[in-house]
C-alpha cells in the first residue's frame, strides 16, 4: 500500500514520535502524565476511522496517528477488541501489514499492553543487544511493583523462561546480582516512619564497603531499601564524607556495574531527571535512537512525562519539544495544526512548578 499525506517514511515516524512526546500537551488531571482518557471517546467511530485509513490504495497515516496518540492505553485496547469483533481481524496485524519501519514499530508499541512492551524490551536487552545495564535496569528499577510483576509474568508466558534465568545466563558479577534483586521486587515499601538508626547503619556500611568482596552490601542497600529511605542515606553519606556517593561508585566500580549503580542512584534521587538524561542522550546520537525515544515517551506518557519535560528544560536549557524539532526536523514546518500545538506548548512552558501542577491540555 502507498502512504498518503505527503511526507513519507522517516517524516511520518517523526510526526508520530512528536505526538508520543506529547510535548505540546499539558498534564492529564490527577497525573503528571500528558496523555489522559479522551473524553469524547467513541470506540465505534475510532474503529471506522482506522478501517478507512488502511482501506483502498493509500494508507492514511495521519488518521492512524490522530487516533492512537490521542487515546489512553486502556482506550487503545478497547479499540483493538472492537476492531476484532467487527472485522474478525486483528488490528495490530492489520496495521503491521499496512505500515513498515520505525512507524510500524511505534504503532506496535502503542497497541501492545504495557507489560507486553516491557517484556519485549527486557528480552531484547538481555539477549544480545548488550544493553542489560541500560534497558534492563530501566525497566526493572522504574516500574511499580504491580507493573513489574505483570511484566515478568508476560515474559515467562511469551518466552517460556523466567526473566531471572535469562539474567543469570546473560549477565555477570554485580550487574547480575543487581538485576536479580530488582527482578524479585523485594524493595521495602515506605511506611511514613523515618528510621534514623537504619539510615545511619546503611551509611556506615557503604563507607566500609569500599574494599573487595563487599559488593553484596551495595546490592542489598540499593535494591531493598525504599526510595525515601535511600534519599536520606545518600544525603547523610554526603554530609559525612564531603562528597556524593556517586564519586565512590566511580572509584570503586567499573564497566557495566558502575553504569548500573550510577543509574540506580539517579533513579532514586530523581526519576524524571533519569529519563530526561536518557532522552537527551538518544537525541545526541549520530542517528537518533528511535527505540529509546519510543520506549520512554510511550511508557511515561500517562505517568510523569510532564515532570520529565520540566527536568529536561531545567538541565539542558531548552524544551524537549524544541529539541525534538531541531534534532529531527519535525512536522511543524508542514502540519496544518502547528500553530495550535505551538500555542499550547508556549502556555505550558511558562508554567512554574510543573512538577506540582496539574493543568488541563
Amino acid at each position: 500500500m502507498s502512504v498518503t499525506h505527503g511526507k513519507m517514511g522517516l517524516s511520518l515516524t517523526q510526526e508520530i514520535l512528536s505526538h508520543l512526546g506529547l510535548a505540546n500537551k499539558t498534564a492529564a488531571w490527577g497525573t503528571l502524565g500528558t496523555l489522559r482518557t479522551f473524553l469524547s471517546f467513541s470506540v465505534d467511530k475510532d474503529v471506522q476511522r482506522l478501517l478507512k485509513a488502511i482501506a483502498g490504495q493509500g494508507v492514511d497515516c495521519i488518521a492512524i496517528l490522530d487516533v492512537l496518540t490521542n487515546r489512553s492505553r486502556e482506550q487503545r485496547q478497547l479499540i483493538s477488541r472492537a476492531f476484532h469483533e467487527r472485522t474478525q481481524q486483528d488490528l495490530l496485524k492489520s496495521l503491521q501489514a499496512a505500515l513498515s519501519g520505525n512507524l510500524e514499530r511505534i504503532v506496535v508499541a502503542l497497541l501492545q499492553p504495557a507489560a507486553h512492551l516491557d517484556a519485549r524490551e527486557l528480552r531484547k536487552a538481555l539477549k544480545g543487544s548488550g544493553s542489560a545495564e541500560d534497558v534492563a535496569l530501566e525497566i526493572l528499577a522504574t516500574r511499580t511493583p504491580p507493573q513489574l510483576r505483570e511484566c515478568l509474568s508476560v515474559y515467562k508466558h511469551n518466552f517460556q523462561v523466567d526473566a531471572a534465568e535469562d539474567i543469570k545466563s546473560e549477565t555477570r558479577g554485580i550487574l547480575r546480582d543487581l538485576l536479580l534483586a530488582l527482578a524479585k521486587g523485594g524493595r521495602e515499601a515506605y511506611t511514613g516512619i523515618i528510621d534514623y538508626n537504619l539510615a545511619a547503619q546503611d551509611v556506615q556500611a557503604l563507607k566500609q564497603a569500599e574494599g573487595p568482596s563487599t559488593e553484596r552490601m551495595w546490592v542489598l542497600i540499593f535494591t531493598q531499601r525504599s526510595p525515601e529511605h535511600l534519599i536520606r542515606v545518600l544525603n547523610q553519606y554526603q554530609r559525612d564524607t564531603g562528597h556524593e556517593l556517586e564519586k565512590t561508585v566511580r572509584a570503586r566500580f567499573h564497566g557495566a556495574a558502575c553504569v548500573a549503580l550510577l543509574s540506580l542512584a539517579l533513579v532514586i534521587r530523581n526519576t524524571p531527571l533519569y529519563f530526561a538524561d536518557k532522552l537527551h542522550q538518544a537525541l545526541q546520537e549520530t542517528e537518533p535512537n528511535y527505540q529509546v525515544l519510543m520506549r520512554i515517551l510511550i511508557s511515561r506518557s500517562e505517568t510523569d512525562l510532564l515532570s520529565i519535560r520540566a527536568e529536561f528544560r531545567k538541565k539542558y536549557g531548552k524544551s524537549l519539544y524544541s529539541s525534538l524539532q531541531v534534532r529531527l526536523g519535525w512536522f511543524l514546518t508542514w502540519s496544518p495544526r502547528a500553530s495550535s500545538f505551538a500555542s499550547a506548548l508556549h502556555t505550558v512552558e511558562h508554567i512554574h512548578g510543573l512538577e506540582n501542577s496539574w493543568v488541563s491540555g
Side-chain angles (χ1 to χ4, degrees):
M1 292 184 178
S2 62
V3 178
T4 61
H5 289 274
K7 297 290 184 178
M8 308 289 276
L10 187 59
S11 294
L12 287 167
T13 299
Q14 292 168 347
E15 167 143 1
I16 201 168
L17 274 176
S18 72
H19 282 253
L20 293 177
L22 301 168
N24 54 289
K25 298 182 180 179
T26 51
W29 285 109
T31 77
L32 287 172
T34 51
L35 179 62
R36 59 174 150 180
T37 299
F38 188 63
L39 297 181
S40 300
F41 178 57
S42 169
V43 67
D44 290 334
K45 289 182 180 179
D46 284 346
V47 169
Q48 291 172 7
R49 193 173 183 198
L50 289 173
L51 276 170
K52 184 178 179 181
I54 60 178
Q57 297 300 312
V59 179
D60 189 346
C61 293
I62 303 302
I64 297 171
L65 163 68
D66 282 342
V67 172
L68 297 184
T69 62
N70 286 289
R71 307 295 184 269
S72 68
R73 188 177 290 277
E74 181 179 358
Q75 288 177 324
R76 294 195 294 268
Q77 293 305 304
L78 291 174
I79 293 170
S80 293
R81 288 196 288 271
F83 187 95
H84 185 269
E85 290 172 1
R86 176 171 174 174
T87 67
Q88 301 304 306
Q89 296 178 3
D90 184 88
L91 175 60
L92 179 56
K93 291 180 180 178
S94 297
L95 290 174
Q96 283 181 292
L99 305 170
S100 62
N102 283 326
L103 185 57
E104 177 190 349
R105 285 188 282 273
I106 292 168
V107 168
V108 169
L110 280 167
L111 286 174
Q112 282 187 319
H116 289 253
L117 175 60
D118 280 346
R120 188 189 72 188
E121 291 289 289
L122 180 58
R123 174 76 169 186
K124 188 187 303 181
L126 292 173
K127 304 295 285 188
S129 70
S131 57
E133 72 276 16
D134 179 20
V135 180
L137 187 133
E138 173 193 319
I139 293 171
L140 295 176
T142 65
R143 301 315 188 243
T144 65
Q147 288 172 338
L148 183 56
R149 286 193 294 270
E150 188 176 3
C151 167
L152 296 178
S153 176
V154 170
Y155 192 104
K156 183 174 183 178
H157 177 270
N158 287 357
F159 306 116
Q160 298 300 300
V161 63
D162 284 325
E165 294 303 315
D166 280 344
I167 292 171
K168 290 176 183 177
S169 65
E170 301 296 334
T171 61
R172 298 288 182 272
I174 189 172
L175 174 62
R176 177 190 60 198
D177 296 341
L178 283 169
L179 295 179
L180 285 173
L182 290 170
K184 288 180 180 178
R187 191 179 291 282
E188 299 164 355
Y190 181 55
T191 64
I193 299 174
I194 301 175
D195 192 334
Y196 292 103
N197 289 332
L198 181 59
Q201 291 172 15
D202 286 345
V203 169
Q204 190 62 28
L206 289 172
K207 286 160 57 176
Q208 295 176 349
E210 298 182 6
S213 304
T214 58
E215 291 88 351
R216 182 174 297 181
M217 183 58 64
W218 289 84
V219 173
L220 171 66
I221 294 175
F222 267 71
T223 64
Q224 302 303 302
R225 304 292 191 250
S226 72
E228 294 81 4
H229 174 86
L230 285 170
I231 288 293
R232 295 188 185 89
V233 170
L234 293 172
N235 291 339
Q236 186 61 50
Y237 185 95
Q238 183 171 355
R239 285 193 293 269
D240 288 357
T241 64
H243 62 80
E244 293 184 340
L245 182 64
E246 287 85 341
K247 180 178 180 180
T248 301
V249 170
R250 293 186 182 94
R252 171 72 175 77
F253 300 96
H254 304 283
C258 180
V259 172
L261 283 168
L262 291 175
S263 295
L264 265 178
L266 184 53
V267 168
I268 292 161
R269 288 186 186 276
N270 190 334
T271 300
L273 178 58
Y274 165 78
F275 282 114
D277 282 348
K278 295 196 74 170
L279 288 169
H280 184 263
Q281 182 179 355
L283 288 169
Q284 294 306 302
E285 295 184 20
T286 303
E287 175 70 19
N289 193 325
Y290 285 96
Q291 192 68 22
V292 172
L293 295 173
M294 175 193 72
R295 184 180 64 251
I296 295 176
L297 296 177
I298 291 176
S299 67
R300 311 309 293 190
S301 63
E302 296 183 49
T303 53
D304 60 355
L305 188 52
L306 188 64
S307 294
I308 294 169
R309 285 170 47 194
E311 292 294 343
F312 190 100
R313 187 178 185 87
K314 180 179 178 181
K315 181 168 182 177
Y316 298 108
K318 52 190 174 181
S319 71
L320 174 59
Y321 186 52
S322 63
S323 297
L324 293 171
Q325 284 181 280
V326 170
R327 185 65 180 87
L328 302 176
W330 288 116
F331 72 105
L332 288 184
T333 57
W334 58 276
S335 170
R337 292 174 296 171
S339 60
S340 62
F341 283 168
S343 177
L345 173 64
H346 178 80
T347 301
V348 176
E349 294 293 351
H350 286 80
I351 294 176
H352 296 290
L354 286 176
E355 65 278 10
N356 296 315
S357 299
W358 295 339
V359 290
S360 61

